[in-house]
Amino acid sequence: MSGDSLAAARRFKKKIKDSKPPELEVRAGDMVVNSYGYSMIITRVMGTDTTLKESVEYVETTHNSEGTKTMTLEKLRKMHSKGKYKVYRGSRW
């Protein structure tokens, strides 16, 4: 591979990296609505120091007697990118 094509490949890779939207960021108080219309309120965002993976703790508003549940932030981002979850910012923004 010549030097010009290698430099062009690096520029193209940088261009793709810069064009990606930023990762989904959530905070406590945000509301997540799934594709069925059920809503979840995020109560806490936990980093890798608390759990092995970054995760969020949430309460389902329709079944709030069940208590808090957890979900990995990776799963939340994946479901959001597929369009199955919508995230509405809370008051802590």
Side-chain angles (χ1 to χ4, degrees):
M1 195 177 250
S2 69
D4 291 336
S5 59
L6 186 61
R10 287 183 179 150
R11 283 193 308 268
F12 183 67
K13 185 177 178 181
K14 185 178 184 314
K15 180 181 176 184
I16 289 175
K17 182 181 175 187
D18 293 341
S19 68
K20 285 184 180 178
E23 288 189 357
L24 178 68
E25 182 181 347
V26 293
R27 297 181 184 175
D30 291 355
M31 184 171 70
V32 179
V33 179
N34 66 8
S35 58
Y36 298 110
Y38 296 122
S39 59
M40 302 169 269
I41 304 293
I42 295 176
T43 57
R44 185 169 64 154
V45 179
M46 298 174 284
T48 56
D49 55 338
T50 310
T51 57
L52 294 175
K53 292 185 176 182
E54 291 179 318
S55 56
V56 295
E57 188 175 86
Y58 65 93
V59 176
E60 292 181 349
T61 57
T62 55
H63 305 289
N64 55 4
S65 62
E66 294 179 6
T68 60
K69 298 179 180 182
T70 59
M71 174 189 329
T72 62
L73 197 54
E74 181 181 329
K75 179 179 178 182
L76 180 65
R77 287 180 180 142
K78 185 186 299 182
M79 297 298 274
H80 177 72
S81 67
K82 288 181 179 180
K84 295 187 177 189
Y85 285 174
K86 291 184 181 179
V87 179
Y88 297 98
R89 290 184 173 179
S91 60
R92 295 195 181 176
W93 284 92

